[in-house]
Amino acid sequence: MSVLFETEKGNLVIDVDHRKFSRISFQLIALCYLNHWLLSDFTDFTKDVSIKSPSTAVPSNIKTLLENKEFKDDHDEDSHLAAPGSVEFTGSEDEFQFQINLSAKQSSQVFGRVAEGLTVLDDVNKGTGGLKILHCHVVYDPFSVKGFADQRKNEDSLSVEEIKSRLQSQTPSSDDSVPVEALALELLGDLSHYQVKPSPRTLFVARLNPITSENSLEVIFARFGPIKKVQILAGKKIRYAFVEFVQQEDAEQAYAKLHDNCYIDGHQILVDFSQSTRHLQN
């Protein structure tokens, strides 16, 4: 069986011996169907040693399915030399967690291997160890697991603020002006790269009604001062816009009046500064 983890550094495809490790395999597949690690960080990085998935309690619905199946894991009695990219189970009956080894080691707990994405691991090992999971996918399911499609986590269930909060630690420290909302939108598939930098006079506007036009936005925001540019972008998941004022103080006034409770064409919109503008207020 195979699962794929989209990360901000590239994809990791993990192959698992589901015949030998049927219980672990079933849990991993079910958690990936649920997209359980949406926007979660790998943890416990040790350079040249390993990196671990976020530890998660096995959901009750997965436990119920396991009780009705005769699954087991046949770990080796003796340890053997596992190659870089080997994957070990480090959880328990109630907690699921796996570890990806960054170098060769002796182990009896290996249940899979990274089939694609060794360059991602190399990049992680050469850096600070940070690696965020964007999405989880099932590539090959030998169990034909059913019943999780309507429970899958996705960005539609998260507000832009929630996404931004989860991404705060991933904002590049070398450039404090990179807007977190732009990185969030890149992860949603709506911007080509996180280094989209609205000017300090630019407001980010989201949750727009499909009928809202650039002209109507300009009329509404022009009450606070001259507008240089309004651009509505239709992303894969959401509709959003950038409203750029001529003067920064006008953008600040518009934010103060509209960020809390503003409805346009029946939709309660989100109005926010880019991070580079917000820090000027503090």
Side-chain angles (χ1 to χ4, degrees):
M1 58 150 278
S2 299
V3 294
L4 183 151
F5 292 92
E6 288 183 56
T7 79
E8 91 268 43
K9 296 182 184 296
N11 295 337
L12 292 175
V13 176
I14 296 179
D15 287 351
V16 179
D17 185 348
H18 65 276
R19 295 180 179 86
K20 190 174 182 180
F21 302 100
S22 56
R23 185 179 181 86
I24 291 174
S25 299
F26 186 89
Q27 292 180 87
L28 180 58
I29 277 184
L31 289 168
C32 286
Y33 272 128
L34 291 171
N35 203 15
H36 193 77
W37 291 292
L38 173 69
L39 300 183
S40 297
D41 293 295
F42 276 88
T43 63
D44 297 337
F45 166 70
T46 304
K47 186 174 178 61
D48 296 325
V49 179
S50 64
I51 190 170
K52 291 184 179 181
S53 71
S55 179
T56 181
V58 178
S60 58
N61 53 348
I62 296 178
K63 283 186 174 182
T64 300
L65 289 174
L66 285 171
E67 290 172 358
N68 299 324
K69 298 181 182 294
E70 295 183 0
F71 287 148
K72 66 176 183 176
D73 299 319
D74 185 18
H75 292 284
D76 295 331
E77 293 183 5
D78 300 319
S79 63
H80 57 86
L81 185 64
S86 58
V87 184
E88 296 181 90
F89 182 70
T90 55
S92 63
E93 186 172 334
D94 297 319
E95 295 283 329
F96 192 93
Q97 186 178 42
F98 63 87
Q99 169 179 298
I100 301 176
N101 295 317
L102 301 174
S103 61
K105 63 169 291 189
Q106 294 288 330
S107 175
S108 62
Q109 301 297 312
V110 172
F111 71 90
R113 67 184 182 91
V114 174
E116 296 179 28
L118 291 176
T119 55
V120 173
L121 298 181
D122 188 52
D123 188 25
V124 170
N125 196 41
K126 288 178 179 177
T128 59
L131 186 63
K132 181 177 289 292
I133 299 169
L134 308 183
H135 296 281
C136 317
H137 305 280
V138 176
V139 179
Y140 169 56
D141 173 11
F143 305 107
S144 299
V145 177
K146 306 291 185 184
F148 293 109
D150 61 343
Q151 302 174 49
R152 181 175 174 83
K153 290 183 182 179
N154 58 61
E155 294 90 346
D156 292 338
S157 62
L158 302 176
S159 69
V160 174
E161 286 299 318
E162 287 177 296
I163 295 174
K164 287 165 61 178
S165 176
R166 296 191 185 198
L167 294 173
Q168 285 291 344
S169 64
Q170 292 298 313
T171 304
S173 59
S174 61
D175 189 350
D176 290 337
S177 68
V178 175
V180 174
E181 68 270 16
L183 178 54
L185 292 169
E186 182 197 356
L187 300 184
L188 294 174
D190 295 331
L191 292 179
S192 58
H193 195 269
Y194 65 80
Q195 288 179 325
V196 175
K197 301 177 186 176
S199 75
R201 303 180 303 276
T202 300
L203 293 179
F204 170 72
V205 185
R207 301 179 188 150
L208 293 175
N209 190 315
I211 69 171
T212 301
S213 66
E214 292 178 349
N215 183 63
S216 60
L217 282 181
E218 182 169 359
V219 170
I220 292 168
F221 282 87
R223 292 180 296 159
F224 304 97
I227 302 295
K228 182 176 180 180
K229 182 179 180 181
V230 176
Q231 184 180 19
I232 291 179
L233 301 173
K236 296 177 182 177
K237 300 287 184 182
I238 55 177
R239 247 171 93 81
Y240 56 94
F242 292 105
V243 179
E244 184 176 3
F245 286 83
V246 174
Q247 301 294 330
Q248 180 179 332
E249 53 267 31
D250 295 336
E252 293 173 351
Q253 184 183 2
Y255 169 80
K257 294 289 186 180
L258 301 178
H259 83 281
D260 235 2
N261 189 27
C262 178
Y263 287 81
I264 298 179
D265 295 325
H267 278 208
Q268 184 174 10
I269 63 168
L270 179 150
V271 179
D272 202 355
F273 280 108
S274 71
Q275 198 174 26
S276 60
T277 302
R278 185 186 295 278
H279 87 267
L280 293 174
Q281 302 183 107
N282 296 336

